[in-house]
Amino acid sequence: WDVTTGKVEWSEEVYRIFGLNPSEFQPQIDSIMSYFHPDDQHQNEEIMQAAIMNGEQYSYETRILLPDNSVHNLYSISEGIFDKRGNLTHMTGIVQDVTELRQVEEEKKLLQSQLIQSQKLESIGNLAGGIAHDFNNILSSVIGFTELALDEVEKETTIEDSLQEVYAAGKRAKDLVKQILAFARQSDEKLKPIQVDLIVKEVLQFI
């Protein structure tokens, strides 16, 4: 890049990266800038001005808009060339299309996020499974002692009705534990069709 005239010389590879034909496009710094993504224009102008002012080596990444309207990520590194008086005359450097690399990085981030989410769900499942097993032991005592009480209580009494409700609630709770263990994948339960109307009636009675 001739900083005094604005003329730029490109290699065939740079033409390929920009999707332009060497016979149809003569690069100038102003025309090149028009190919950069609008959201990156301000950043690019600041970098260019800093490069002219300081003449120091710089590197940065930006986005360009190709003629087919696709967006590509471009990495650039450049340094200044000075005359005998120490005046900056040219900037020379290389550019590289890093679009695929950025896509791979984004996919990697997505996979990492999905892995973390999966690990969270696994932790929840393990926690639920542990609680369910402990709760199942408590329910076994509740149901067992309720059955013993039902054997000894006087039939057709209010107490028997209350114990029957306790027993039915215990059985429902035990079924709920099975579902939790199935969610936590800590049981051999299998999915099967159910009679929805029976569950609805049971829930209504419970309410």
Side-chain angles (χ1 to χ4, degrees):
W1 166 29
D2 188 329
V3 298
T4 57
T5 65
K7 183 180 179 181
V8 178
E9 293 183 8
W10 273 358
S11 67
E12 292 182 5
E13 176 64 10
V14 180
Y15 277 105
R16 187 197 66 78
I17 290 175
F18 275 78
L20 298 170
N21 191 327
S23 63
E24 299 175 356
F25 180 79
Q26 298 299 320
Q28 292 277 337
I29 193 63
D30 292 337
S31 59
I32 293 171
M33 291 294 287
S34 66
Y35 281 92
F36 288 103
H37 195 284
D39 294 343
D40 296 350
Q41 288 283 7
H42 183 67
Q43 167 197 271
N44 295 332
E45 290 174 0
E46 287 185 343
I47 292 174
M48 292 294 182
Q49 290 299 323
I52 294 174
M53 292 291 293
N54 304 322
E56 297 177 353
Q57 185 183 81
Y58 71 93
S59 62
Y60 72 105
E61 187 172 323
T62 187
R63 292 170 295 173
I64 58 173
L65 291 171
L66 272 59
D68 62 0
N69 292 324
S70 63
V71 179
H72 283 231
N73 295 77
L74 197 70
Y75 175 76
S76 175
I77 183 169
S78 182
E79 61 182 357
I81 299 177
F82 302 85
D83 60 19
K84 293 180 179 180
R85 298 179 180 179
N87 298 318
L88 178 69
T89 61
H90 296 79
M91 294 292 294
T92 182
I94 60 171
V95 293
Q96 181 181 6
D97 189 337
V98 293
T99 305
E100 290 186 5
L101 177 62
R102 294 296 169 259
Q103 290 174 345
V104 169
E105 290 177 346
E106 287 299 320
E107 291 174 0
K108 183 179 179 181
K109 288 181 181 178
L110 178 61
L111 289 173
Q112 288 176 334
S113 175
Q114 292 175 341
L115 176 61
I116 291 173
Q117 188 66 19
S118 176
Q119 290 172 337
K120 287 181 179 179
L121 290 174
E122 184 179 359
S123 297
I124 293 172
N126 290 334
L127 177 62
I131 295 173
H133 278 298
D134 291 339
F135 191 52
N136 204 34
N137 294 333
I138 297 172
L139 282 175
S140 296
S141 297
V142 172
I143 293 172
F145 281 108
T146 302
E147 289 176 338
L148 292 175
L150 282 170
D151 289 339
E152 297 180 9
V153 73
E154 186 177 345
K155 305 303 179 183
E156 298 182 358
T157 61
T158 304
I159 296 177
E160 184 196 24
D161 291 340
S162 297
L163 287 173
Q164 289 289 0
E165 290 296 329
V166 173
Y167 182 75
K171 297 293 285 185
R172 285 197 297 269
K174 205 167 182 65
D175 290 338
L176 179 60
V177 169
K178 288 182 179 179
Q179 294 180 42
I180 295 174
L181 289 173
F183 167 75
R185 297 179 182 176
Q186 295 186 15
S187 72
D188 297 326
E189 297 295 323
K190 296 182 180 180
L191 296 176
K192 62 180 181 180
I194 59 172
Q195 291 293 117
V196 180
D197 60 323
L198 297 179
I199 295 178
V200 173
K201 289 178 182 177
E202 185 178 353
V203 171
L204 289 174
Q205 183 182 358
F206 176 71
I207 293 173

